[in-house]
Amino acid sequence: MRAWINDALRAAIGIWLRIAGALFELRHRWRIRCFGWSQARLRRRYRIGLDTPISDNIGFPAGERANARHGPRSPRMAKTSGSTGRPKAVPYTNARIRAVRFTFIDVFLRCFWNLDIARTSLYVFGSLDNDETLTALLLEERRNPSRLAVLQAPYRVERHPALQDLRDRYGTGALRLWIVSLSNPGVLYSTNPSTLSTFFDELSHNWHESSALVRDYVQKPETFRAPVHRIVRRLVSRGGRERLERVAASPTFMPIQEWAPGLDTYVCWMGGYVAPFLERVRTYLPAPRYRLVPMYSMSTETVETITHLGRDGIAFLPLAPGVFYEFLQDDASQKPENLQPSSRLRTGKAYRMVVSHPYGARRYGTGDVFLVKEWVGGLPDLRFLRRSGLGYSFTGEKLTGEQLSEAFGKIRGDYPAMEDADFLTCFPSQPDTDPIPHYKLTLIRGDGLPECVLPGIAEGCDRLLSELNPEYRNKRESRRLGPVRFQQMNASEFRRRMGAGPAPPGLGAQFKFLPLYPRLWESLDRP
C-alpha cells in the first residue's frame, strides 16, 4: 500500500511539474525576445567600455570582499576542476548558489514539459562527500528534505547519517543501486558522463560486492536500524521490494531495465573530450530505449549556455541570467578591440567566450571555444568544442589536445584489451635525471580494475603523433624530444595527484578528464 501511495503522489507531483514547465517555457521564450535589450542593460550595469580589459581572474561579488574575511554572510569558495592547472577558488554567495540551482530547475521543468517525460522522478549522481566543488555546494542540504521532495528526488536522502553509514559499509555504488532499485526514477542526471560510466562499470565488474547491500537488506532486514526502514517507506515505489529480491538473487549483473524499469531518459554533458565515456554509457543505456538529453555548458566560474528545446531539436543559447556575453574569434588575440557581440557571430565559425556577471566576472575570458551551429530565435546555437590553450610545446612541436584525441581514437581500435579502460590522457615530462623531455601517455583505470597489458602502445602513440604533427616528428628525429613513455594508474590516485582532493571510489562528479594536461608531470603531487 505504501508503494502505491508513493507512486500516486509522484504522479501528482509530475502533473504540477509539467504545468510549471509550461510556464517556465513561456518565460524562456520571452527572454529570447528581450535578449538584445537585456544585453544592453547588462553592459551599462557592469560598466563595460570599449577599453575594459579582458581578464583571466574572477573577483569577489560586489560588496562581498570585506565579508570574505569575517561575518556570517561570507561567500564560500568552490574549487574548479583543475583541468589545465591548479584548481581555482571561486566565491559563491548564498544568492549565487540559489541562482545556479534555479537555472538547473528551469531547464529540467522545461524538459518535463517539452519532451513529455513519463516519470519525472529524478536521480542525480553527485558527490556524497562534503568537498569543495560546486556540485557539493549545490547538493548541500541545510535540513532534512520533505517527503514530497524525496519522492521527486530520491538522491536527496543519501546524506542522511543512517545512509552515510551504509555507504561506509558497502560503498557508494551499492548504496546507489539500492536507492535506484527502490525508487525507480524516470531520469538520471550526471554532470560528467564519466560518473555514469564508472557506476555501471562497477556494477558490471563487481556485481557481488555492489549488490551486497540489497542482498543483506532482503535476507536480514532486522539487522538494519529503524531510520533505514523509515527511509525505505519514503522511497519505495510499486514493485520495489520485488526488484530488490531479483537483484539479491542474481549472481551476475542485471540489465538496468530489471532494477529500474521506469528509467527512459538520462542527462549529461556531451561537450569536449567525453566521447569515450558516452560510448560506454550507451552500452548500458542503448538508444532508442533510453533517450540522452545533452546538458547545457557551464563551468565553476559561470553558466555559459542555456538549453533550448524547439521543434527542430535541442539548441544551446547564450541566455544565462545576468550574464553579458562577448566573443573572440578563435584565432584572434585577446584584445578588447577584437570582441564581438552575439549578433555578429557567423554560422560555422568558432569563438572563445568572454563573460561579465554580477558575481565578480568583468570581461572574464572563459577559455572555452564554441562553434556556432545555427541560429535559433535570433540567437546563436553554441556547441562546446574545446578548451583554448590546450596545447604544449617543449621545443616548437606545439602538440595539441585535438591531435592527441585523434591518436587516442586509433589506439583504442588497435587494443581491444582497453575495452574497460576509463580514459587516456597525456602529460609533458622533463625529469631532472633526463636531459631530453618527453610525453607520458597515461591510462587512467577505474578503481579496483587490474592493470592492462598493452604491448607496444607507447611506440604506437609516438608513431601516430609523428604522422599527425610534422614538427613533433622533426623534434623526435633530431633527438630534441624523447620517445613517448607509458604509465597507468587508478582514478583516485590520478585525482589526488592533480590536487583534486579526497575523492570517493570511482570518478568524481565534478572532475574533468582531458586528452592533454599542459603541466609537467613532475609538478604534480607525489605519492
Side-chain angles (χ1 to χ4, degrees), residues 127-130 157-176 178-179 202 209-210 212-213 216 224-225 228 502-505:
S127 172
L128 301 188
D129 293 310
N130 292 319
V157 301
E158 289 176 338
R159 296 202 176 195
H160 190 285
L163 296 198
Q164 287 287 296
D165 290 343
L166 294 181
R167 193 275 296 258
D168 294 340
R169 230 167 98 198
Y170 294 96
T172 301
L175 179 64
R176 285 173 168 162
W178 183 73
I179 292 175
E202 181 182 350
E209 293 80 4
S210 298
L213 171 55
D216 286 353
F224 289 79
R225 297 164 50 195
V228 174

Side-chain angles (χ1 to χ4, degrees), residues 19 189 193 245 285 510:
I19 293 173
Y189 170 84
E245 290 172 357
L285 301 174
Q510 179 79 355

Side-chain angles (χ1 to χ4, degrees), residues 214-234:
V214 174
R215 194 161 51 250
D216 286 353
Y217 185 81
V218 169
Q219 297 173 358
K220 300 176 289 185
E222 69 281 357
T223 63
F224 289 79
R225 297 164 50 195
V228 174
H229 293 290
R230 286 198 295 269
I231 289 171
V232 168
R233 289 194 291 272
R234 297 176 68 186

Side-chain angles (χ1 to χ4, degrees), residues 460-506:
C461 182
D462 201 52
R463 184 173 58 255
L464 287 168
L465 294 181
S466 295
E467 295 172 359
L468 293 168
N469 185 324
E471 285 300 320
Y472 179 90
R473 182 178 63 248
N474 292 338
K475 302 307 185 290
R476 284 283 295 111
E477 291 173 351
S478 63
R479 297 184 179 274
R480 282 176 284 177
L481 276 179
V484 170
R485 300 180 190 177
F486 178 67
Q487 63 185 4
Q488 53 186 305
M489 66 184 65
N490 64 43
S492 291
E493 172 64 9
F494 178 73
R495 283 177 52 93
R496 194 198 64 73
R497 285 182 178 244
M498 290 295 292

Side-chain angles (χ1 to χ4, degrees), residues 271-273 330 350 367-370 384-392 398-410 426 464-465 468-469 514-518:
Y273 308 98
D330 190 24
D368 290 339
V369 181
F370 292 84
F384 181 90
L385 284 180
R386 63 183 182 274
R387 293 279 302 177
S388 64
L390 197 61
Y392 199 86
K398 297 180 181 177
L399 188 64
T400 68
E402 287 71 33
Q403 292 165 353
L404 283 161
S405 291
E406 186 173 347
F408 293 165
K410 295 178 180 179
C426 186
L464 287 168
L465 294 181
L468 293 168
N469 185 324
L514 301 175
L516 172 66
Y517 288 86

Side-chain angles (χ1 to χ4, degrees), residues 247-259:
V247 169
S250 177
T252 58
F253 174 68
M254 292 175 61
I256 287 85
Q257 61 264 29
E258 295 293 325
W259 44 273

Side-chain angles (χ1 to χ4, degrees), residues 266-289:
Y266 64 106
V267 183
C268 61
W269 194 51
M270 291 182 62
Y273 308 98
V274 300
F277 300 113
L278 281 173
E279 289 304 315
R280 290 200 58 73
V281 171
R282 289 189 180 106
T283 64
Y284 297 106
L285 301 174
R289 169 68 175 82

